[in-house]
Each structure stands twice: as C-alpha cells, then as structure tokens.
Amino acid sequence: SAPFQDRGGGGGVEDEGLAGMTHIGAGEDGKTTFKMVDTSPKGSSLRIATAEARVVLPDAVNKVFLNEEGKTAKGNVFDVSRLAGIMGAKKTSDLIPLCHNINIDKVDVDMRYVPEVETVLIKCTSRTVGKTGVEMEALTGASVAALALIDMVKGVSPEVTYTVRLLEKEGGKRLVRDGKVVLEGGK
C-alpha cells in the first residue's frame, strides 16, 4: 500500500500519525506530494486568531530598558517591533509555503514588558471574513515582532530567546481558547 492515503477534497494523509495534515497527500504515483488546500467549496465567515510570543531577556538587556515602554538608547523597540509584526502578518503567504493569500481586515500587535519575569509579552490578533483562518497570520505577526525586538537588542546580548503559540482562534472548524481546542466541528 502507498505510504499515504489521500482523503480527497481538502487533501491530507491517514497513515503513521499524520492524519489531519491537510497539505500532504499521495500523488497519482503513490509518492508523497504537497498541496494547497482547496477552500473554494467553503463559505465565508468571521475568522479571528490571537498568537502570543514571549521574549525572555537576559540581565544585560533588562538593564538597557529605561522603563516599561521599551525605550532604549537605540530608540523605542516596541514601536519598531509592533510595525514589524503587522508587516509580517501581511506577508504570511509569502513566507509560509502553501499558506493561502488572504485579505486581512485587521492586525493588532500589543506589547508589554514584564520586569518581574524579564519578559516582553507580544500578542498579535488577526481578523478577516473569509474561507480560511488567520492563525498563521497571527503566529507570523507575533514571531516577526519578537524577531524585530531581538534584532534591536542583540548588540547588548545575543542570549535573548522567544517562544510563540496560538492562544485563541474562532471561526472555521475549531474553537481554541488559551492554546487548547475547546470545540471541534463548530463554526
């Protein structure tokens, strides 16, 4: 048997723990192939997603911050990072292969320095009315904002780290709250 069984419609695989991977399937020759999901049969609906990046700053970088507004000797890192996050969300389909190019209606990037844990919290919320979700746009926006912040402070210390995760998603098949699927199959 072929290593992957194509489910048709939206694509995907059903073998060796890969079920639900809608961008991978079997070609006519039985070899693994990658494809963009066909969203044409879907109806449009409101889609909202929020991702969070946590940028952990080493002591050397924390000392550079003059206050909780992100002002440094180089300028306001929050302003630059916020703009980079918005631009990143808009460029998601250029960066992520097989990601749909969608019309984003709104992107918000909020940043907050939390000195008690030496961390900058970044939340990126993307919104559209369309046939596919905006999770990748929110994740990309949060990631690019974090990377821009790291770029601004790396001269002080290269030991900055970040993580990113999907916090919330609504619209489409799944409802996500606090990073967990709370409803499957809903709209």
Side-chain angles (χ1 to χ4, degrees), residues 3-7 11-26 32-34:
F4 301 110
Q5 179 181 352
D6 192 342
R7 295 185 310 196
V13 297
E14 291 184 5
D15 192 22
E16 301 180 28
L18 298 175
M21 295 186 71
T22 57
H23 292 78
I24 304 173
T32 302
T33 185
F34 302 94

Side-chain angles (χ1 to χ4, degrees), residues 52-57 119-120 122 139-150 158-165:
E52 175 188 70
R54 291 175 176 253
V55 183
V56 180
L57 307 174
T119 299
V120 176
I122 301 168
L139 287 162
T140 301
S143 293
V144 172
L147 290 169
L149 188 147
I150 291 169
E159 297 176 351
V160 182
T161 62
Y162 87 98
T163 58
V164 65
R165 70 182 183 128

Side-chain angles (χ1 to χ4, degrees), residues 34-174:
F34 302 94
K35 58 188 171 184
M36 184 178 239
V37 174
D38 181 5
T39 62
S40 63
K42 292 178 164 185
S44 292
S45 65
L46 177 63
R47 312 292 185 121
I48 303 171
T50 300
E52 175 188 70
R54 291 175 176 253
V55 183
V56 180
L57 307 174
D59 287 338
V61 174
N62 276 294
K63 291 176 183 170
V64 172
F65 277 81
L66 300 176
N67 56 41
E68 295 180 19
E69 296 174 8
K71 293 180 182 172
T72 67
K74 251 179 135 172
N76 190 315
V77 298
F78 286 178
D79 289 346
V80 172
S81 298
R82 191 174 289 111
L83 182 57
I86 292 168
M87 292 174 69
K90 291 170 55 178
K91 290 290 189 181
T92 299
S93 66
D94 292 335
L95 300 169
I96 309 296
L98 309 177
C99 186
H100 289 88
N101 182 7
I102 62 174
N103 291 322
I104 300 173
D105 294 320
K106 186 167 176 79
V107 176
D108 285 318
V109 178
D110 296 314
M111 306 179 79
R112 182 170 55 100
Y113 176 56
V114 185
E116 301 81 30
V117 291
E118 300 178 335
T119 299
V120 176
L121 297 178
I122 301 168
K123 285 189 180 177
C124 178
T125 300
S126 297
R127 190 181 170 109
T128 192
V129 173
K131 296 180 175 193
T132 190
V134 287
E135 301 94 320
M136 293 309 300
E137 287 73 13
L139 287 162
T140 301
S143 293
V144 172
L147 290 169
L149 188 147
I150 291 169
D151 183 53
M152 297 268 307
V153 301
K154 72 178 187 265
V156 177
S157 174
E159 297 176 351
V160 182
T161 62
Y162 87 98
T163 58
V164 65
R165 70 182 183 128
L166 181 65
L167 276 182
E168 297 183 353
K169 171 200 176 295
E170 61 184 78
K173 292 182 181 177
R174 292 184 186 94

